[in-house]
Amino acid sequence: MEAKGIPVLELFGPTIQGEGMVIGQKTMFVRTAGCDYSCSWCDSSFTWDGSAKQDIRWMSAREIEHELDQLGTATCSHVTISGGNPALIKQLSELIEVLHARGIEIALETQGSRWQDWFMDIDELTLSPKPPSSNMITDWALLDPIVEKLTTGRRNFSLKVVIFDEVDLDYARIVHLRYPHADLYLQAGNHDVIEANRDVLLQQLIERYMWLIQAVMTSSDFKKVRVLPQLHTWMWGNKRGV
């Protein structure tokens, strides 16, 4: 193994991507450990809160490639790198190179708090700045140059804001006005990341999605946005590894 591998918590799939610009995409997942945020409603808090520390595997790009082959590269040519915040991991560049050499496309989501040069090699990059409900504060001085670099480089990127309430919707307006040239996805948030009954959770999610649709339809500030559910929670609830 290389001197400094990639901290991996989960490898799974093929499944469908449930969020953002690649919603519905058949994909495999590489979930990395570590995050510089601690969002109040995070559905993957095990990646940063220490509860899954014993499950971290430090893997080389080739080891990840091998395990993805065992999972399903024969039937899937797309990989999503998730977290946590995978933008903290500089050495992901080797994994990106290895997967691209196989003709595998790569999607990645990050909150936009850290730049990596390998952003320019990601096929579908989602910047998801966190709204007030997360209890995190957006550092525009960090996010602005990231958006500018991606725009100048004409990379395939988009913005996504998770919406829980009117305050979050106001935040999304600020994001949209600040970066009007970027595609914006608004996604209804999951209020209950511990609910074990999928049917109960689904009803809650549908109600929140309907609220968000209605709020956006009546707003002149959101003339060109896409309004999404969190599709994987509709299908599998709060289950991990799907």
Side-chain angles (χ1 to χ4, degrees):
M1 184 186 293
E2 62 198 24
K4 189 174 184 181
I6 297 166
V8 176
L9 270 171
E10 291 183 319
L11 288 164
F12 62 92
T15 183
I16 59 166
Q17 172 60 253
E19 303 188 3
M21 66 191 294
V22 285
I23 191 168
Q25 171 71 53
K26 183 180 181 181
T27 190
M28 290 178 286
F29 274 83
V30 177
R31 187 182 298 282
T32 60
C35 193
D36 48 338
Y37 278 19
S38 54
C39 296
S40 61
W41 36 253
C42 180
D43 61 0
S44 303
S45 58
F46 62 92
T47 61
W48 51 263
D49 67 6
S51 62
K53 184 177 180 179
Q54 71 282 357
D55 298 326
I56 297 173
R57 292 185 290 162
W58 290 88
M59 303 178 70
S60 71
R62 291 297 182 185
E63 287 172 331
I64 295 172
E65 176 193 25
H66 176 68
E67 194 157 325
L68 289 173
D69 283 343
Q70 292 179 316
L71 285 169
T73 51
T75 62
C76 185
S77 59
H78 190 277
V79 168
T80 298
I81 302 175
S82 185
N85 182 11
L88 299 178
I89 307 170
K90 185 176 182 179
Q91 59 271 28
L92 278 175
S93 57
E94 184 181 352
L95 177 62
I96 294 165
E97 182 179 348
V98 166
L99 295 178
H100 276 166
R102 296 278 301 276
I104 296 173
E105 294 187 344
I106 301 168
L108 184 141
E109 180 176 315
T110 176
Q111 57 262 46
S113 60
R114 182 78 62 90
W115 170 263
Q116 293 288 356
D117 289 341
W118 51 251
F119 279 5
M120 304 305 287
D121 299 320
I122 297 296
D123 299 289
E124 297 135 342
L125 179 65
T126 298
L127 301 179
S128 183
K130 304 309 178 187
S133 62
S134 70
N135 293 330
M136 299 292 102
I137 298 175
T138 300
D139 188 336
W140 303 105
L142 292 175
L143 185 57
D144 285 349
I146 291 175
V147 173
E148 177 62 26
K149 286 179 183 179
L150 293 169
T151 302
T152 301
R154 293 186 172 88
R155 297 309 301 159
N156 186 19
F157 81 99
S158 66
L159 291 160
K160 185 192 81 176
V161 180
V162 179
I163 306 295
F164 284 85
D165 52 34
E166 288 284 358
V167 177
D168 287 352
L169 202 57
D170 288 339
Y171 172 86
R173 287 188 181 93
I174 294 171
V175 172
H176 197 31
L177 291 172
R178 196 176 188 98
Y179 314 116
H181 58 283
D183 289 341
L184 176 64
Y185 293 78
L186 302 181
Q187 182 174 293
N190 176 8
H191 281 76
D192 193 348
V193 297
I194 62 172
E195 175 58 62
N197 187 313
R198 173 188 166 275
D199 293 334
V200 171
L201 179 63
L202 179 58
Q203 186 57 45
Q204 296 174 2
L205 294 172
I206 290 172
E207 290 174 2
R208 297 309 302 170
Y209 185 42
M210 287 298 299
W211 168 82
L212 181 57
I213 289 173
Q214 292 167 0
V216 170
M217 292 308 106
T218 58
S219 173
S220 60
D221 295 324
F222 296 114
K223 292 181 180 179
K224 189 181 178 182
V225 298
R226 294 173 176 86
V227 186
L228 302 179
Q230 195 179 44
L231 185 58
H232 59 282
T233 58
W234 285 39
M235 299 301 298
W236 296 291
N238 287 316
K239 186 178 179 181
R240 279 177 54 180
V242 291

